Amino acid sequence: RDYYASRGLGDVYKRQIIEYIKRGKNKMNTNDILKKVDHTLLAQTATWEDIKVILDDGIKYGTASACIPAAYVKQAAEYVDGKLPICTVIGFPNGYSTTAVKVFETKDAIENGASEIDMVINIGFLKDKRYEEVEDEIRQIHEACDGKILKVIIETCLLTEEEKIKMCELVTNAGAEYIKTSTGFSTAGATFDDVKLMHDHVGEGVKVKAAGGISSFDDAEKFIELGADRLGTSRLVKIMKNTDTGAGY
């Protein structure tokens, strides 16, 4: 009881977390799930004060990273001083910048202190079956990451099953570390079916990130059980803080 009171958790959120933990001895605990979260704020209106809250929360709750707009990466990296990996987005959210622009964005972000890059593919090229160009772009951006983690956003809600499977192949061939479901800015976010499909079709060493619409610890654990290694969301930390309003990434 004192544990929850000391963190300012209201009764509703205390019940949700306690019930989640009690539902079975094989359930992951909240800390283990939070370790897989890229705590995310990508809203166009995000201010430095907003970003600092994300960074402070990421450090406090032990998230995998904080995913923020590129314009704040340098300031954020200096602010956290190595206590939290900084992730940012490239070609976001539509993916139709030229490869040269995406490569420049990537190099700039890495120089500014980003540890992880989430890029958006050119969805039109995929639908045109310009597979070599899609794969080559991912490969060039991965090279620009200079050893840092690359996650490839394929925007599953806009793709056919055949296209999702093809992207698993291309991401694997290009050497990226992760394939990611969604930007959170399109028609839908991650689904259980898509995460399972991607996990079943990526090659060895490629991990899956589910992003967009992950609103509870139960959902988070289900995504992990289906093969997600990372979760892009801000909602889980908000639940811990008793500030979740049902909105946001």
Side-chain angles (χ1 to χ4, degrees):
R1 189 172 183 178
D2 290 341
Y3 173 88
Y4 295 102
S6 69
R7 285 156 176 76
L9 294 172
D11 290 340
V12 172
Y13 293 96
K14 282 192 285 188
R15 285 197 298 272
Q16 182 175 347
I17 293 169
I18 291 169
E19 287 171 5
Y20 168 79
I21 293 170
K22 284 181 175 179
R23 267 195 285 274
K25 64 181 180 180
N26 295 324
K27 291 286 183 181
M28 297 177 70
N29 67 48
T30 55
N31 288 339
D32 287 339
I33 292 174
L34 289 167
K35 288 175 185 176
K36 294 181 177 292
V37 168
D38 290 338
H39 190 34
T40 302
L41 178 60
L42 295 169
Q44 297 95 325
T45 55
T47 66
W48 173 238
E49 290 303 313
D50 298 328
I51 298 294
K52 282 200 296 184
V53 172
I54 292 290
L55 301 174
D56 290 340
D57 288 344
I59 294 168
K60 177 178 179 180
Y61 292 102
T63 63
S65 78
C67 188
I68 61 172
Y72 290 110
V73 165
K74 184 175 177 60
Q75 197 172 1
E78 292 171 353
Y79 180 78
V80 302
D81 192 26
K83 299 182 185 71
L84 179 72
I86 301 299
C87 173
T88 195
V89 288
I90 300 300
F92 192 87
N94 295 313
Y96 45 46
S97 302
T98 65
T99 298
V101 168
K102 291 180 182 177
V103 168
F104 175 84
E105 284 187 287
T106 301
K107 290 180 177 179
D108 184 60
I110 297 297
E111 288 174 5
N112 286 335
S115 301
E116 305 188 1
I117 299 294
D118 289 19
M119 64 160 285
V120 185
I121 65 164
N122 189 315
I123 297 166
F125 281 14
L126 173 64
K127 291 187 174 293
D128 280 338
K129 303 187 186 305
R130 295 165 66 171
Y131 301 139
E132 289 186 9
E133 291 170 79
V134 174
E135 182 179 321
D136 183 62
E137 177 175 88
I138 298 168
R139 184 175 289 107
Q140 287 190 49
I141 294 170
H142 189 249
E143 290 173 359
C145 285
D146 195 26
K148 307 297 186 184
I149 290 172
L150 176 63
K151 309 185 203 98
V152 181
I153 306 170
I154 68 171
E155 205 70 285
T156 49
C157 62
L158 302 181
L159 305 184
T160 65
E161 183 169 314
E162 179 185 0
E163 289 165 344
K164 295 168 194 174
I165 293 171
K166 186 65 179 179
M167 279 311 308
C168 290
E169 175 191 332
L170 299 181
V171 170
T172 300
N173 291 346
E177 285 74 22
Y178 282 83
I179 187 169
K180 175 178 171 182
T181 59
S182 319
T183 62
F185 282 71
S186 190
T187 57
T191 69
F192 297 139
D193 287 344
D194 282 340
V195 166
K196 184 178 187 308
L197 179 77
M198 292 159 68
H199 178 261
D200 289 347
H201 286 87
V202 290
E204 185 176 355
V206 182
K207 300 175 182 178
V208 177
K209 176 177 174 179
I214 302 170
S215 60
S216 71
F217 279 95
D218 279 330
D219 282 354
E221 182 166 14
K222 181 67 172 177
F223 278 119
I224 293 167
E225 288 173 352
L226 290 170
D229 184 77
R230 285 286 186 94
L231 307 171
T233 180
S234 63
R235 301 281 297 279
L236 301 185
V237 168
K238 288 177 182 176
I239 289 171
M240 296 298 292
K241 293 175 66 181
N242 191 19
T243 60
D244 184 30
T245 63
Y249 189 89

